[in-house]
Amino acid sequence: PSENTNLQSQPPPEEWNYGATAAPVSPGPFVPVPASKSGPPRRDYLIAAVLCYGNLINFMDWFVVPGILLDIKNYFNLSDGDTGLLHTVFILCYMVSAPIFGYLSDRYNRKIILGAGIFFWSGVTLGSSFISESYSWIFFLSRGLVGIGTASYSTVAPTIIADLFEEGKRTTMLSIFYIFIPVGSGLGYVLAAGMANAMEDWHWAFRITPCMGVLALVLLILLVPHRTQRRTAAHRALSISGTIRVAAEKPGVRRAAKTTWCQDVLSLAKNWSFVWSSLGLTAMAFVTGALGIWVPLFLHRAQIVQGLVTPCCQEPCNSSN
C-alpha cells in the first residue's frame, strides 16, 4: 500500500517516453500516486479475452505442421534434414523479427500492428494450402513468413494486457493469456490430424485457422481500442534498470528523448534477471520444440519396426500419434 508514495507523477500521454531506456532529466518533486480502488471494467476483461483467443489460434497455427508432418514429408518428398529445416526456418524468422516488432510497438499504434500480423499470417497460411508438390521451396518460404506474422502478435498482445490491469490482476491475466500456448499447441495437433482424416486431404488443415483468424481480426477491430490507458502509470515509468527517469510535470523541464533500438537492447542486456530468464526459456523451448516436432514421427517409425502398422505410402497417413 505504501509503495506508491515514492513514485513521481507521469507526464501527459503525448509526452510519454518510450523504450527501455531514457535520457536522464532534471529530477522533479515526488508526487504521491493514489492507488486505484476500483477494479478493471468489464470491457478490459473482454479485450483480454479477444487477445487470448488470438493467442490460441496463433499457437494452433504453429503446431498444424507437426500434426500432419508425415503427410507433408511424403507430399513434398522431403528428407529428415529438409523436414527439420521446415521448422527451423519458422523459428529463425520468428526470432529475428520479434525484437523488431517489440521496438515498433513501443512507438507506434499497437492495434494496427496486431491486426496486420493476424491478417498476414492468416493469409500466408491459407495460401500455403494451395502449393503443389513441385514447389516445396515456396512452402518453406511460407512458414518463414508465418513466423514473422506470429512474432508481431506474441510480442505486442501481452503489453496491452499489462496496460489494462494493475499489478495483482495483471499477473493473473497474463497467466491466462500464456495458458493458451500449450492449449493452442495441443489443439493444433488435433485440428491438423482431424481435418486430414475427415477430408482425406492434409491441405484442409491449413484452411481452418485462417477462418478463425478472420474472426479474431473482426473482434480486434470492434473491441480493442487504438490506445490503452496505463492503469499503473507510475510503475510503468520504471526503466529496465529499475530507476524512474520520468520528469514530473513542471514547466520548463526538458523531457527525455525517445531511445534507439540499440539503446533498448543494451539496457536489456544489463538486466541479468532478464538475460538468464531468456536463456532458460530458450533451452526449454529447444527441448520441447524438438519433441513437439519429431515425437509423432518417431512413434510412427517405432510402430513400423514393431510390425504394428505399415509404412504410409499414400495420403492421408495415420495421424493418431
Side-chain angles (χ1 to χ4, degrees):
S2 61
E3 62 182 356
N4 291 336
T5 57
N6 292 327
L7 296 173
Q8 299 176 22
S9 63
Q10 181 81 335
E14 64 272 12
E15 296 180 348
W16 275 348
N17 303 307
Y18 295 101
T21 60
V25 295
S26 302
F30 292 104
V31 179
V33 179
S36 175
K37 296 182 180 180
S38 60
R42 292 182 179 180
R43 180 179 175 83
D44 290 350
Y45 288 106
L46 190 59
I47 294 171
V50 172
L51 297 176
C52 288
Y53 172 70
N55 203 37
L56 174 72
I57 59 176
N58 185 8
F59 281 88
M60 285 178 65
D61 202 54
W62 276 45
F63 282 85
V64 164
V65 169
I68 50 174
L69 190 62
L70 189 57
D71 288 299
I72 295 175
K73 188 175 185 297
N74 292 342
Y75 182 80
F76 290 111
N77 194 24
L78 301 176
S79 65
D80 283 351
D82 293 336
T83 305
L85 182 62
L86 186 64
H87 203 65
T88 301
V89 170
F90 175 91
I91 290 297
L92 287 177
C93 291
Y94 181 95
M95 180 183 69
V96 171
S97 57
I100 298 175
F101 284 114
Y103 176 83
L104 294 176
S105 67
D106 217 10
R107 290 155 176 80
Y108 300 100
N109 192 299
R110 291 177 291 180
K111 181 176 179 178
I112 295 177
I113 296 175
L114 283 179
I118 295 174
F119 178 81
F120 183 75
W121 102 59
S122 298
V124 172
T125 300
L126 180 62
S128 65
S129 67
F130 298 99
I131 300 174
S132 65
E133 63 271 19
S134 57
Y135 293 95
S136 59
W137 65 272
I138 299 182
F139 190 77
F140 279 81
L141 177 62
S142 69
R143 295 313 294 172
L145 295 177
V146 169
I148 295 175
T150 55
S152 67
Y153 190 90
S154 297
T155 55
V156 177
T159 67
I160 296 179
I161 294 179
D163 284 349
L164 290 175
F165 299 93
E166 296 179 350
E167 290 186 348
K169 288 286 185 180
R170 183 190 306 160
T171 302
T172 302
M173 298 309 297
L174 285 174
S175 298
I176 295 173
F177 177 83
Y178 286 117
I179 278 292
F180 285 95
I181 293 179
V183 173
S185 302
L187 289 178
Y189 286 106
V190 175
L191 170 69
M195 289 304 299
N197 292 331
M199 306 302 295
E200 297 186 351
D201 184 0
W202 63 267
H203 293 85
W204 280 93
F206 290 94
R207 297 168 185 171
I208 301 301
T209 52
C211 297
M212 300 174 66
V214 171
L215 176 59
L217 184 59
V218 172
L219 293 174
L220 178 74
I221 294 173
L222 295 178
L223 300 176
V224 178
H226 283 280
R227 294 183 180 274
T228 53
Q229 181 182 4
R230 301 182 177 184
R231 292 180 63 85
T232 51
H235 288 281
R236 298 284 290 171
L238 291 171
S239 70
I240 295 299
S241 60
T243 58
I244 298 176
R245 300 188 178 187
V246 179
E249 289 189 60
K250 186 177 180 180
V253 174
R254 181 176 61 86
R255 301 297 177 184
K258 292 182 179 180
T259 58
T260 65
W261 185 84
C262 291
Q263 286 176 313
D264 288 352
V265 172
L266 288 175
S267 181
L268 287 170
K270 296 177 182 178
N271 186 321
W272 286 106
S273 176
F274 175 82
V275 171
W276 285 111
S277 297
S278 298
L279 292 175
L281 183 61
T282 301
M284 183 183 70
F286 180 87
V287 175
T288 56
L291 292 173
I293 293 294
W294 289 109
V295 162
L297 188 58
F298 169 80
L299 293 175
H300 178 75
R301 290 177 176 175
Q303 291 167 348
I304 293 177
V305 171
Q306 296 173 10
L308 301 177
V309 298
T310 58
C312 178
C313 300
Q314 61 182 6
E315 304 171 25
C317 297
N318 185 355
S319 300
S320 61
N321 288 321

